[in-house]
Amino acid sequence: MTDTVERRKVARIIRAMDTSDGAGVRLKRSVGSPALEMLDPFLMLDSISSDKADDYIAGFPEHPHRGFETVTYMVEGAMRHNDSIGSEGVLRSGGVQWMTAGSGIIHSETPEQEAGLLQGFQLWINLPARDKMRRPRYQNLEADQVVEISPDRGVDIRLVAGKAFGKTGPVSGIATKPVFMDVKLAAGAEVTLPVPDGHAAFVYVFIGDAEVAGRAVATHHLAVLKDGNSVLLKGGAKGGRMLLIAAAPINEPVARHGPFVMNTRQELMQAFEDFQKGRFVRAKATG
């Protein structure tokens, strides 16, 4: 073991592309776009940011998932969710929902507002073969359950998963041992954050601008990081807010189509058949 700081550098910078999903929700996609189809184990990163109701009000009607995890992080606004295993609730500003779809779940997400800013993210993370058919589960966190750290003036961190400054994020028991931080930096403020060696990692700037490992990164751009055990972040001319996300690669074959992510084409076809025949996990009837 070594305590030597090996700062990561930027491998490439990608501009998020404009697209839509669900029932016409306008969003920006970085991971999962033609520029970056996948960054093992990350399958997709979507950013929603609009104060125009027409851009988001239709939401994401009922749809299935199997074989991976979805992470929904709300920055501003509120989103109602319900699903086939009986879970229902409202994800509000600062809250996180870490859903392990496993063997199969059907859910919907609908904005719980008719006006105002809706800003947030959805991240898709692959599951290893051994976990793809596990029973679905959730880790739901209210805003006050996320660890908040202010290690220096002009540096504010919300720690969802991983470790920093002697603190540990509340999300646990995830196969890929993820790091998930929301980092807000005042103009010129700097912070060096830990990133485990060998983890795939990126920084997505969603407000203002920043320097990532010495490289300028503008709003709605994603910086893919090279290997190392830490990364230096600095607020831009007017400050910046960004996500630092990392996880251990799975290094397994990927067969994916739409909402299903498996290891082989045969498993993928089985997922479609199981969904069509109503075999996904459903809540037990009561009464």
Side-chain angles (χ1 to χ4, degrees), residues 24 93 129 156 193 276:
S93 301
D156 296 295
L193 294 171
Q276 291 165 354

Side-chain angles (χ1 to χ4, degrees), residues 120-133:
F121 294 89
Q122 186 161 100
L123 175 69
W124 288 13
I125 308 176
N126 199 13
L127 282 169
R130 67 177 184 272
D131 291 333
K132 284 188 177 295
M133 295 300 289

Side-chain angles (χ1 to χ4, degrees), residues 95-111:
V96 184
Q97 181 189 83
W98 202 295
M99 183 184 77
T100 303
S103 61
I105 196 168
I106 303 167
H107 75 155
S108 65
E109 297 152 304
T110 307

Side-chain angles (χ1 to χ4, degrees), residues 8 16 19 21 27 65 74 125 147-148 194 209 213 230 264 270:
R8 291 181 179 235
T19 186
D21 211 333
L27 49 83
H65 291 305
M74 293 301 300
I125 308 176
V147 176
E148 297 188 350
D209 62 338
S230 65
T264 67
Q270 186 66 54

Side-chain angles (χ1 to χ4, degrees), residues 77-157:
M79 188 81 76
R80 176 170 293 279
H81 64 91
N82 58 68
D83 61 54
S84 57
I85 64 173
S87 299
E88 183 175 0
V90 178
L91 192 62
R92 302 187 186 278
S93 301
V96 184
Q97 181 189 83
W98 202 295
M99 183 184 77
T100 303
S103 61
I105 196 168
I106 303 167
H107 75 155
S108 65
E109 297 152 304
T110 307
E112 187 78 352
Q113 61 190 65
E114 296 181 355
L117 177 63
L118 183 72
Q119 185 171 38
F121 294 89
Q122 186 161 100
L123 175 69
W124 288 13
I125 308 176
N126 199 13
L127 282 169
R130 67 177 184 272
D131 291 333
K132 284 188 177 295
M133 295 300 289
R134 67 171 295 167
R135 186 173 179 83
R137 70 164 186 163
Y138 284 100
Q139 294 185 60
N140 289 310
L141 303 173
E142 300 292 341
D144 61 3
Q145 294 177 280
V146 175
V147 176
E148 297 188 350
I149 311 168
S150 297
D152 205 349
R153 185 174 180 179
V155 179
D156 296 295
I157 301 165

